[in-house]
Amino acid sequence: MSGFTWQRAVIKIGSALIAPDGQQCSGRYILPIARFITSAREAGKEVILVSSGSVAAGRAKVPIQHPASISEKQAMAAIGQMYMMANWQRFFDFPCAQVLLTYDDLHDRTRYVNIKNTMRELLNHQALPVVNENDTVAVNELKVGDNDNLAAYTALVSGADTLIICSDIDGLYTADPRKDATAKLIPVVDEITPHIYSIAGGAGSSVGTGGMRTKIEAADKCTRSGIQTLIVNGRNGHVFDELQDGNIPGTLFKAQQSQKTARRLWLEHTLKTRGKIYVDPGAEKALVSKGASLLPSGITEVSGNFETGDAIEIVSQDKSLAKGLALYSAQELKKIKGEKSQRIRDILGYDNGEVVVHRDDLVLLK
């Protein structure tokens, strides 16, 4: 199937591809993936990796004769992270950046905004973010639990338009192809229904924690937010040649609406505003006519008691102009309003960036 286009993709790589023997990192399956990433970047596209494999990579270094305890698994992860990152870096002549996340990071408002800004800067500086769950500190109650759903959260926080899940199976089938010879590959899923969930089996890999169901959960999160999702077989190198040519050698889960529409609806209708920022005519013109971010120099007044990451209303000449996510709290904005961006650090002693509301986190109101 052809017609696959994208600009910013999150690619999820499972443990079975990183460490096929469950003991150490290998380049056996990831070389074609690395070539695909390099070619995509040369074509002006952006890639973020979500890579499993740290526990498997560290297992040989923490020999045990019994089922591993939580602390032993955390020790494996801490040691294995180094080997997993080194395994990726050896394939590229541009920097790889390690990003370790927990469930709390993704659900805490301030930390979510910080992750978003970090991802944006890493991509701006041509680095390849390599995301993994922070298994060295997270306990089960605070974990996302599987890297399929972690990849979905990563796609959401990074503003990706595509999630590619590399599995050890060609895609979603009508039944488990390892058990049912009549099972057929489903090339396109227009909508994720209870029936789609019902044909997703349990965990298939002895190394990883994710099965087909977690892949469907990840696809569900993404497609409802305007992010197309693919499940492909990461063990077949030709898959990445097909993707490079715009073909889909697996299962495509179609986005339910455009990403721009999904984000607009979320900002405009779902988020409750917690304050107002009043701007001058110059700032209004920059926002409306130029699609610019909001700078502190254009702010005249601040009302409400909002924190970093809260939704705020932007008001100009007594009319609601836009909604967006504030990168500074109300108390901080009262100190830097009307000032040039270069003065933020002098006034506050630190800065969260040069803009108050980034254009990616802003929607104009009709």
Side-chain angles (χ1 to χ4, degrees):
M1 180 182 170
S2 60
F4 174 54
T5 60
W6 59 281
Q7 184 56 39
R8 179 182 293 174
V10 170
I11 304 177
K12 183 266 177 178
I13 316 293
S15 298
L17 301 177
I18 301 289
D21 64 358
Q23 294 293 324
Q24 59 188 351
C25 290
S26 165
R28 179 177 172 188
Y29 294 121
I30 65 175
L31 179 57
I33 300 171
R35 281 200 301 260
F36 171 71
I37 291 170
T38 299
S39 297
R41 285 169 53 101
E42 288 173 351
K45 300 177 187 292
E46 296 174 320
V47 176
I48 297 163
L49 274 178
V50 173
S51 177
S52 305
S54 60
V55 174
R59 185 170 281 123
K61 311 297 179 183
V62 186
I64 56 172
Q65 304 299 320
H66 52 80
S69 66
I70 290 176
S71 59
E72 285 171 329
K73 284 184 178 178
Q74 289 173 329
M76 290 178 192
I79 294 170
Q81 287 288 353
M82 301 293 290
Y83 290 94
M84 189 263 286
M85 287 300 298
N87 194 43
W88 280 116
Q89 184 64 77
R90 68 189 174 120
F91 291 104
F92 306 114
D93 58 5
F94 45 81
C96 293
Q98 186 176 45
V99 181
L100 296 174
L101 302 177
T102 65
Y103 181 88
D104 268 8
D105 294 330
L106 293 160
H107 290 80
D108 177 89
R109 183 178 59 244
T110 302
R111 277 184 275 176
Y112 186 92
V113 172
N114 288 340
I115 294 164
K116 186 182 184 71
N117 292 339
T118 299
M119 288 290 194
R120 184 183 290 144
E121 285 305 309
L122 288 173
L123 293 173
N124 285 344
H125 287 84
Q126 308 304 310
L128 174 66
V130 182
V131 178
N132 197 3
E133 187 140 34
N134 195 350
D135 292 319
T136 61
V137 298
V139 294
N140 285 338
E141 301 82 55
L142 298 178
K143 292 179 71 173
V144 175
D146 66 88
N147 273 4
D148 293 322
N149 279 292
L150 179 64
Y153 288 125
T154 301
L156 292 168
V157 74
S158 64
D161 54 59
T162 301
L163 169 62
I164 302 172
I165 299 175
C166 296
S167 180
D168 54 1
I169 193 170
D170 290 342
L172 178 66
Y173 282 78
T174 53
D176 188 341
R178 288 168 286 206
K179 299 176 182 177
D180 187 344
T182 65
K184 289 183 171 55
L185 180 69
I186 302 172
V188 178
V189 174
D190 292 312
E191 183 181 1
I192 297 175
T193 62
H195 172 68
I196 295 297
Y197 273 107
S198 72
I199 61 176
S205 168
S206 61
V207 177
T209 55
M212 186 55 72
R213 183 174 180 85
T214 58
K215 292 168 178 55
I216 302 301
E217 289 172 355
D220 203 357
K221 287 182 179 70
C222 285
T223 55
R224 283 189 283 112
S225 298
I227 303 169
Q228 64 180 345
T229 302
L230 287 83
I231 298 177
V232 299
N233 192 335
R235 292 186 173 184
N236 293 338
H238 73 85
V239 158
F240 301 97
D241 295 329
E242 291 286 310
L243 289 173
Q244 193 69 38
D245 292 337
N247 299 320
I248 303 170
T251 299
L252 169 66
F253 298 83
K254 287 186 175 179
Q256 296 304 296
Q257 54 198 342
S258 77
Q259 189 179 32
K260 190 173 182 179
T261 300
R263 185 159 185 78
R264 179 185 174 86
L265 291 172
W266 176 68
L267 279 168
E268 190 172 350
H269 301 295
T270 305
L271 287 184
K272 182 180 179 182
T273 57
R274 299 182 180 274
K276 293 183 179 181
I277 295 176
Y278 295 84
V279 300
D280 60 27
E284 176 182 1
K285 183 177 180 181
L287 294 176
V288 175
S289 303
K290 300 179 182 178
S293 299
L294 178 61
L295 303 175
S297 58
I299 298 174
T300 57
E301 294 295 335
V302 178
S303 71
N305 188 26
F306 54 88
E307 298 296 331
T308 302
D310 280 343
I312 49 87
E313 184 180 348
I314 300 172
V315 181
S316 175
Q317 302 180 71
D318 294 325
K319 71 170 187 263
S320 293
L321 184 65
K323 277 180 69 174
L325 302 181
L327 290 175
Y328 291 90
S329 69
Q331 294 306 312
E332 291 167 330
L333 285 180
K334 286 175 182 175
K335 297 176 182 178
I336 63 173
K337 66 182 175 65
E339 299 284 352
K340 296 290 186 184
S341 296
Q342 296 90 322
R343 291 267 299 140
I344 295 175
R345 181 172 287 274
D346 294 336
I347 296 169
L348 299 180
Y350 55 88
D351 71 74
N352 297 337
E354 296 182 348
V355 305
V356 172
V357 180
H358 195 278
R359 64 178 180 268
D360 292 346
D361 302 323
L362 183 148
V363 58
L364 295 172
L365 302 175
K366 295 177 182 177

